[in-house]
Amino acid sequence: MGFFLFFFLSLLSLASSASRDHHKTFIVRVQNDAKPSIFTTHKHWYESSLASVLSPSTPAQVLHVYDTVFHGFSAKLSPTDALNLQTLPHILAVIPEQVRRLHTTRSPHFLGLQTTDSAGLLKESDFGSDLVIGVLDTGIWPERQSFNDRDLGPVPSKWKGQCVTTKDFGPGSCNKKLIGARFFCSGYEASNGKMNETSEFRSPRDTDGHGTHTASIAAGRYVFPASTLGYAKGVAAGMAPKARLAAYKVCWTAGCFDSDILAAFDAAVADGVDVISLSVGGVVVPYHLDAIAIGAFSAADQGVFVSASAGNGGPGGLTVTNVAPWVATIGAGTIDRDFPADVKLGNGKVVPGVSVYNGPGLSPGRMYPLVYGGTGGGDGYSSSLCLEGSLDPVFVKGKIVVCDRGINSRAAKGEVVKKAGGIGMILANGVFDGEGLVADCHVLPATAVGASNGDEIRGYIDSASKSKSPATATILFKGTRLGVRPAPVVASFSARGPNPETPEILKPDVIAPGLNILAAWPDKVGPSGVSSDSRNTEFNILSGTSMACPHVSGLAALLKAAHPEWSPAAIKSALMTSAYTVDNRGETMLDESNGNTSTVLDFGSGHVHPSKAMDPGLVYDITTMDYIDFLCNSNYTINNIRVLTRKNADCSGAKRAGHVGNLNYPSLSAVFQQYGRRNMSTHFIRRVTNVGEPNSIYKVTIRPPSGTVVTVEPEQLVFRRVGQKLNFLVRVQTMAVKLSPGGTSMQAGSIVWSDGKHEVTSPLTVTMQQPI
């Protein structure tokens, strides 16, 4: 039902706005091999198609031509033009463009990847030296030491890409490490006009920092010493330090535009990348209307592993993005390092906080006047958030100011306080943010505290104002702390399931380090991201699922190097079935937002475990036809499937696959609509491939979700050879639970296959829904 409704509303929106005739970018899917011979190029044909429906005064301008992961083009059209174009016989679909946003070290050590590990994943794959990771992001700062090419062999012979040179990205920008660099801005400029080249580069060069950071997480070289403003001192290294990088700049000051993202997918696959890393996302829409899902499908079909960030919409449910089953969807966890900066209040209480700040400090032993921005007169709402121009300098001068989180960036609040004459800032989480803390490179002495501690500080200010002793405080910066317990913890911001498009596919797939991650940073961009911040640093500490995603991209390159025969689905299966769910205390990982035990809706299959992923024992492989059966059983039309897959689907045999949940996915998710029924049941068919030892016997252990009966047939899988595939059947029986209309209940368990050496774990969730 979901995508029919979305498509109907899209057409309705086009029709209703047709009279206003606003132009926007559309991605147009054209029939394969339908080009008439009179046209020398596809572009000429597409321009002719446009000219046939456009008014004579409107130029037929094609923004991008797609021919590798997609067959078609993008163009700026009025809603009327788009509707008319859709009537042409060779046009399969006209898709409205979506604007995406960025989902914005010790992590190799924390993951068990060290240079001295002679028998581990790095050794096995020679650090992934023949693999190419394509990073679709804000570009790259090529001069960083993280991208040096010392001791690297020749560029892989399969590489067909290019290094686009411009006045600010010269011929020497690429090397044997950074072997490709391109930029895509036609969609951006079609929507926003010609770019301002005084504030951003028309080149692959990074003016934001996000792309440089993510690229170095995936494949940065070993750099020592590395730190940010003296914090996190040590060796910086990416996941696959010898893998090659190709940077595809698709994100600009106004966002990341679908037409440009799809063009980058098209180029990356044609260039010969092995992995695509994408730390951006947007609204979840049906797969055939989602440019990222479309590009990723054809990439996976051609053997390219695609990892994407799950989004930073947590801790609320149904916030996960990039949910297509052929994409590895990555949430974020903490590592065992933090940057404590505690608040000492005038009443003697010490409140924990975090910060990365090394500028002129607060005088040791001195207590400073403490105020809450929201009580400073004027618009209390704006001043509580420390928005630009909202603080009264008379009220805040020489004081530490408490600012609530929200609306403007965390670091920008500090700039507002500093401009108004404040001496320091305490950034307090709101209720929705919970207790999750992010360390920022602030422009003045500042720290971040959780929601409950923010309430306590505001309460102290309020009570002190009623007494004769005004509120005072100071901030105690304690540098870098290692060996933090518990770790990992699911980051508060990490987007959560269930999957809003296909609840039968559990998302996110896994989590990886994403909180306070040290990685490379460009010149001319202050570490706080605030325009007035003129500090230069070679590395910066950032947080987000944006940082978690390239960890998995690099790991995928290492796994592909160690197992060249593995498909993208097999690599993802290895990462999922070997993931762990317990922290360094030996207990189930916690949820940072509330301190409670986290669930599979938070972490998917668990936290990645690279060394175990290299030798998973069994994998759940998925073919292109399996995905097509999945789409058929998801009630996508033949035309929609063709738009998405570039293949002529036959859904007549799909019912043999049973139902949506029978996609051969490494996790299992049963969804029951109660409709007054008391007893309900379903089944899953799964097929595992032996990638361990010949003559191995796997026995099943079932941990059924609460209130269910789960059986597996057979209970033992006997493999004679490597590469052998065997099927098993999982039956799930459950009884109705009491729910209010529209209510949902989820219980989780697992199915584990073990041969004594390997443990192949699949989470099993059972969701009960009460219709409204």
Side-chain angles (χ1 to χ4, degrees), residues 85-156:
L85 187 63
Q86 199 150 11
T87 65
L88 298 181
H90 56 283
I91 302 298
L92 294 180
V94 179
I95 302 168
E97 179 171 67
Q98 190 182 151
V99 184
R100 315 281 175 154
R101 302 294 172 195
L102 299 167
H103 286 148
T104 192
T105 170
R106 284 225 336 141
S107 49
H109 178 86
F110 183 69
L111 288 168
L113 295 171
Q114 295 102 30
T115 51
T116 54
D117 181 11
S118 61
L121 184 54
L122 290 178
K123 172 72 174 179
E124 188 77 20
S125 61
D126 187 28
F127 296 45
S129 61
D130 287 330
L131 277 291
V132 184
I133 301 173
V135 181
L136 278 57
D137 213 296
T138 64
I140 197 162
W141 197 267
E143 292 81 9
R144 280 292 164 256
Q145 278 303 302
S146 294
F147 310 127
N148 78 72
D149 65 355
R150 281 192 304 273
D151 304 321
L152 283 179
V155 171

Side-chain angles (χ1 to χ4, degrees), residues 119-312:
L121 184 54
L122 290 178
K123 172 72 174 179
E124 188 77 20
S125 61
D126 187 28
F127 296 45
S129 61
D130 287 330
L131 277 291
V132 184
I133 301 173
V135 181
L136 278 57
D137 213 296
T138 64
I140 197 162
W141 197 267
E143 292 81 9
R144 280 292 164 256
Q145 278 303 302
S146 294
F147 310 127
N148 78 72
D149 65 355
R150 281 192 304 273
D151 304 321
L152 283 179
V155 171
S157 58
K158 65 173 185 178
W159 181 245
K160 304 183 190 71
Q162 56 182 286
C163 188
V164 175
T165 58
T166 66
K167 63 177 188 269
D168 52 65
F169 202 86
S173 297
C174 290
N175 55 19
K176 290 183 290 184
K177 174 65 176 178
L178 178 63
I179 63 173
R182 300 182 185 227
F183 65 98
F184 302 86
C185 59
S186 297
Y188 163 53
E189 292 191 309
S191 295
N192 294 272
K194 192 171 169 59
M195 79 172 66
N196 179 359
E197 294 187 45
T198 63
S199 60
E200 55 186 335
F201 296 117
R202 184 185 294 278
S203 80
R205 187 171 291 279
D206 185 7
T207 51
D208 178 276
H210 191 274
T212 301
H213 202 269
T214 56
S216 70
I217 292 171
R221 303 301 302 275
Y222 288 96
V223 180
F224 178 84
S227 69
T228 298
L229 309 178
Y231 287 79
K233 290 180 180 175
V235 177
M239 295 296 98
K242 283 194 176 179
R244 315 307 171 111
L245 279 167
Y248 299 85
K249 184 175 178 179
V250 297
C251 295
W252 307 85
T253 54
C256 321
F257 290 76
D258 271 356
S259 55
D260 296 333
I261 292 172
L262 194 58
F265 264 105
D266 213 55
V269 175
D271 289 348
V273 302
D274 300 283
V275 173
I276 288 176
S277 188
L278 185 68
S279 289
V280 306
V283 179
V284 174
V285 296
Y287 303 127
H288 72 289
L289 299 174
D290 182 343
I292 290 176
I294 290 168
F297 185 95
S298 287
D301 187 41
Q302 296 177 61
V304 178
F305 181 93
V306 180
S307 59
S309 46
N312 296 342

Side-chain angles (χ1 to χ4, degrees), residues 189-446:
E189 292 191 309
S191 295
N192 294 272
K194 192 171 169 59
M195 79 172 66
N196 179 359
E197 294 187 45
T198 63
S199 60
E200 55 186 335
F201 296 117
R202 184 185 294 278
S203 80
R205 187 171 291 279
D206 185 7
T207 51
D208 178 276
H210 191 274
T212 301
H213 202 269
T214 56
S216 70
I217 292 171
R221 303 301 302 275
Y222 288 96
V223 180
F224 178 84
S227 69
T228 298
L229 309 178
Y231 287 79
K233 290 180 180 175
V235 177
M239 295 296 98
K242 283 194 176 179
R244 315 307 171 111
L245 279 167
Y248 299 85
K249 184 175 178 179
V250 297
C251 295
W252 307 85
T253 54
C256 321
F257 290 76
D258 271 356
S259 55
D260 296 333
I261 292 172
L262 194 58
F265 264 105
D266 213 55
V269 175
D271 289 348
V273 302
D274 300 283
V275 173
I276 288 176
S277 188
L278 185 68
S279 289
V280 306
V283 179
V284 174
V285 296
Y287 303 127
H288 72 289
L289 299 174
D290 182 343
I292 290 176
I294 290 168
F297 185 95
S298 287
D301 187 41
Q302 296 177 61
V304 178
F305 181 93
V306 180
S307 59
S309 46
N312 296 342
L318 287 167
T319 50
V320 64
T321 66
N322 294 323
V323 295
W326 44 88
V327 171
T329 309
I330 316 304
T334 67
I335 60 175
D336 59 347
R337 176 188 69 197
D338 67 7
F339 309 105
D342 299 340
V343 178
K344 183 179 180 183
L345 299 175
N347 61 7
K349 176 87 178 186
V350 176
V351 174
V354 298
S355 180
V356 177
Y357 176 75
N358 80 333
L362 301 173
S363 299
R366 180 179 168 189
M367 301 298 284
Y368 293 83
L370 174 68
V371 295
Y372 174 45
T375 59
D379 174 7
Y381 174 72
S382 297
S383 58
S384 71
L385 294 163
C386 299
L387 301 183
E388 184 69 38
S390 67
L391 297 178
D392 178 359
V394 175
F395 179 65
V396 305
K397 185 174 173 58
K399 299 172 184 172
I400 294 175
V401 182
V402 176
C403 300
D404 293 339
R405 191 168 157 184
I407 308 296
N408 56 343
S409 78
R410 299 182 300 271
K413 295 176 190 293
E415 183 184 40
V416 171
V417 172
K418 187 177 182 181
K419 277 185 187 173
I423 195 90
M425 177 183 71
I426 298 168
L427 180 64
N429 280 0
V431 173
F432 183 76
D433 303 308
E435 304 309 313
L437 299 179
V438 176
D440 294 298
C441 295
H442 291 287
V443 295
L444 84 171

